[in-house]
């Protein structure tokens, strides 16, 4: 690697470590009750980061190191906010990061040995279907959606997060030749996936799956008629959902005018807007905001809490970090010679980008709130682990592309 590029990597690692040390020191200064546990958590995070960074940088040739750097910085900022909001959730999130970081390395290596070789659309569709069916049969309702599986005494997870990966594999394996062989079968299979998400009352998930399918179809086929019909059908589904499901209607009405019923349906978005406004341009300062007033602040509304304490500038910095991750994903897709791997890369990137847009757009009242989490920052093991696995696959595709180009 060129010495100047290597110097940039090393400086980026140093900045990431410095940000964590300064912020955790500030937290311990303003909140003496946090105790020494936060430093152990911070040390575990930094040790995991440095170990996985060294493996990725030194031992995996041609790796896109910035994928791991950017995502780890987002995790670090999320951990800082979680430590501020709920120290117990912070400790669990550190464990999720450790698992996710090593799965990033594993999925990078496995891309060549599994993902690159297995291209069976029926298998991928069946796995997606089963994972989305599980919460309907055995799941519990949480936040209005029945999309969680609880294994008593052990852990809970969100099957739809795992289903995202296999749904992208399914779409990519079907579209790798740039056309749809059996249109009626393809539409029916996608429709059944969306129906399962609607039955689970997972509005955000249904929207993400549908839009990802629509965008991937257009990218693969370049057919404007498919895109136009897909948009029309999406509008129809949205209107049907508004008139058929009270919880969807309540969210849309709260989005249109939260001030009509602030103590009721408009409470979440109103508190989010108050927090963002309170932060102003530079923020109230770490530890000086009031995240306790924001509902679901550790999951759906962590961006609001972050913007309150770090201000408009901090919020924009976060958006830029997410934009850079999306850019890396698009770049990897464009560099891939294999059409299947290229579609897998852009599919995972589209899923990621839509999720970021949906949650940030929801908390700033750009679009209705859908209940999805902010990748790498919001509390949640399923989201953290699958997000890192997705980035590992992108990294594996990048390595494969570089090898095909003869760059060693």
């Amino acid at each position: 690697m060129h010495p100047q590029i290597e110097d940039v990597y090393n400086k980026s690692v140093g900045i990431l470590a410095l940000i964590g040390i300064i912020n955790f020191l500030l937290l311990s200064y303003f909140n003496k009750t946090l105790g020494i546990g936060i430093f152990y958590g911070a040390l575990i995070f930094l040790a995991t980061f440095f170990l996985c960074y060294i493996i990725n940088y030194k031992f995996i040739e041609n790796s896109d190191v910035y994928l791991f750097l950017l995502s780890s910085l987002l995790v670090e900022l999320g951990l800082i906010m979680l430590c501020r909001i709920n120290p117990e959730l912070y400790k669990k999130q550190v464990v999720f990061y450790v698992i996710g970081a090593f799965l990033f390395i594993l999925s990078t290596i496995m891309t060549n040995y599994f993902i690159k070789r297995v291209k069976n659309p029926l298998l991928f569709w069946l796995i997606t279907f089963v994972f989305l069916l599980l919460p309907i049969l055995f799941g519990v309702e949480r936040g209005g959606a029945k999309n969680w599986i609880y294994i008593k005494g052990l852990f809970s997870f969100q099957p739809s997060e795992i289903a995202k990966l296999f749904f992208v594999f399914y779409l990519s394996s079907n579209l790798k030749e740039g056309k749809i062989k059996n249109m009626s079968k393809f539409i029916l299979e996608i429709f059944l996936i969306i129906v399962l998400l609607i039955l689970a009352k997972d509005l955000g998930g249904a929207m993400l799956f549908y839009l990802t399918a629509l965008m991937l179809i257009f990218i693969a086929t370049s057919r404007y008629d498919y895109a136009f019909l897909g948009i029309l059908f999406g509008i129809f589904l949205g209107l049907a959902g508004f008139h058929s499901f009270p919880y969807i209607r309540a969210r849309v009405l709260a989005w249109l005018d939260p001030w009509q019923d602030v103590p009721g349906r408009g409470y979440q978005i109103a508190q989010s807007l108050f927090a963002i406004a309170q932060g102003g341009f530079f923020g109230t300062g770490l530890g000086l905001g009031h995240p306790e007033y924001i509902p679901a602040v550790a999951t759906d509304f962590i961006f609001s809490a972050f913007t309150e304490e770090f201000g408009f500038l901090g919020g924009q910095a976060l958006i830029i970090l997410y934009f850079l991750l999306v850019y890396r994903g698009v770049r990897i897709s464009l560099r891939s010679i294999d059409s299947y791997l290229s579609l897998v890369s852009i599919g995972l990137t589209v899923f990621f980008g839509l999720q970021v847009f949906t949650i940030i757009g929801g908390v700033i009242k750009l679009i209705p709130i859908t209940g999805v989490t902010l990748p790498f920052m919001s509390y949640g093991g399923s989201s953290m682990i699958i997000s890192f696995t997705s980035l590992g696959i992108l990294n594996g595709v990048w390595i494969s592309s570089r090898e095909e180009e003869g760059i060693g």
Side-chain angles (χ1 to χ4, degrees):
M1 184 178 283
H2 194 279
Q4 288 183 339
I5 298 175
E6 186 172 0
D7 187 49
V8 170
Y9 284 149
N10 293 335
K11 285 180 179 177
S12 300
V13 172
I15 290 169
L16 187 145
L18 189 62
I19 287 171
I21 292 167
I22 291 172
N23 280 284
F24 282 114
L25 283 173
L26 285 171
L27 279 174
S28 64
Y29 175 77
F30 283 109
N31 191 347
K32 304 291 194 296
T33 61
L34 289 175
I36 198 70
I38 65 164
F39 290 106
Y40 291 143
L43 287 174
I44 292 169
F45 167 81
L46 288 174
T48 303
F49 166 73
F50 279 115
L51 177 59
C52 290
Y53 174 80
I54 290 167
I55 293 171
N56 192 36
Y57 178 54
K58 297 290 185 184
F59 299 104
I60 301 179
E61 196 173 0
N62 296 322
S63 183
D64 186 337
V65 187
Y66 273 113
L67 284 174
F68 188 68
L69 275 173
L70 290 168
S71 55
S72 292
L73 177 56
L74 287 166
V75 172
E76 184 175 54
L77 296 175
L79 286 173
I80 289 163
M81 290 310 301
L82 284 175
C83 183
R84 162 89 177 91
I85 296 163
N86 187 327
E88 290 305 312
L89 295 184
Y90 156 78
K91 293 172 187 175
K92 292 179 182 178
Q93 190 80 337
V94 170
V95 175
F96 296 148
Y97 171 74
V98 173
I99 298 169
F102 284 104
L103 279 176
F104 173 87
I105 301 296
L106 181 62
S107 57
T108 295
I109 297 167
M110 287 298 291
T111 299
N112 270 326
Y113 296 99
F114 173 71
I115 296 161
K116 192 175 178 180
R117 289 172 168 78
V118 181
K119 303 176 184 179
N120 188 329
L122 179 59
L123 172 65
F124 292 141
W125 185 84
L126 285 172
I127 295 172
T128 304
F129 187 86
V130 169
F131 271 111
L132 294 179
L133 184 63
L134 283 175
I136 296 173
L137 298 178
F138 309 108
V140 296
E141 192 167 313
R142 181 174 169 182
K146 192 179 180 182
N147 58 353
W148 284 86
I149 296 287
Y150 282 86
I151 299 176
K152 194 171 280 189
L154 294 173
F155 61 91
S156 62
F157 71 100
Q158 212 169 355
S160 60
E161 290 291 337
I162 304 170
K164 286 178 186 176
L165 290 179
F166 292 99
F167 187 63
V168 169
F169 298 155
Y170 158 73
L171 292 171
S172 303
S173 55
N174 257 310
L175 298 166
K176 62 180 182 290
E177 294 176 10
K179 59 183 179 181
I180 302 169
K181 291 181 179 178
N182 190 334
M183 175 63 77
S184 57
K185 179 175 176 286
F186 186 59
I187 291 174
L188 178 62
E189 288 171 346
I190 292 175
F191 181 71
L192 288 173
I193 294 297
I194 303 303
V195 166
L196 288 179
L197 289 160
I198 292 172
L199 289 175
K201 298 181 181 179
D202 188 357
L203 170 65
M207 186 186 73
L208 288 175
F209 274 70
Y210 183 77
L211 290 178
T212 299
L214 188 61
M215 292 181 74
L216 213 55
I217 289 168
F218 177 72
I219 290 167
T221 65
S222 300
R223 291 283 298 267
Y224 287 94
D225 52 342
Y226 291 168
F228 179 71
L229 290 172
I231 291 169
L232 283 182
F233 187 65
I235 293 170
F236 168 76
L237 284 178
L239 291 173
F242 178 81
H243 291 289
S244 304
F245 299 101
Y247 73 96
I248 294 178
R249 188 160 52 251
R251 286 185 177 185
V252 173
L253 292 174
W255 166 62
L256 291 172
D257 188 3
W259 315 113
Q260 238 182 25
D261 184 18
V262 173
R265 66 188 181 208
Y267 184 73
Q268 285 185 313
I269 186 63
Q271 290 300 113
S272 173
L273 294 174
F274 285 142
I276 293 170
Q278 178 68 22
F281 203 72
F282 296 103
T284 60
L286 182 61
L288 301 177
H290 293 283
E292 66 273 12
Y293 296 149
I294 308 171
V297 65
T299 51
D300 299 6
F301 288 86
I302 196 165
F303 180 80
S304 306
F306 184 88
T307 308
E308 181 183 13
E309 299 199 346
F310 289 89
F312 174 80
L313 285 179
Q316 295 308 300
L318 267 190
I319 292 171
I320 290 170
L321 289 175
Y322 282 114
F323 173 80
L324 288 173
L325 274 177
V326 171
Y327 160 74
R328 304 298 290 192
V330 172
R331 178 171 176 259
I332 288 167
S333 177
L334 292 174
R335 287 287 291 271
S336 179
I337 299 169
D338 187 309
S339 61
Y340 172 66
L341 292 181
S342 179
L343 285 172
V344 167
S345 302
I346 198 64
L348 294 174
T349 304
V350 166
F351 241 128
F352 179 82
L354 284 174
Q355 188 168 341
V356 173
F357 171 78
T358 300
I359 188 59
I360 294 180
V363 302
I364 66 173
K365 200 183 168 295
L366 181 63
I367 58 174
I369 297 168
T370 54
V372 298
T373 55
L374 189 60
F376 300 114
M377 285 197 68
S378 294
Y379 171 76
S382 302
S383 177
M384 176 81 76
I385 289 168
I386 297 302
S387 295
F388 268 114
T389 302
S390 299
L391 288 190
I393 294 168
L394 288 177
N395 195 32
V397 173
W398 173 252
I399 293 167
S400 176
S401 302
R402 302 268 287 180
E403 288 172 352
E404 287 170 355
E405 292 171 1
I407 301 172

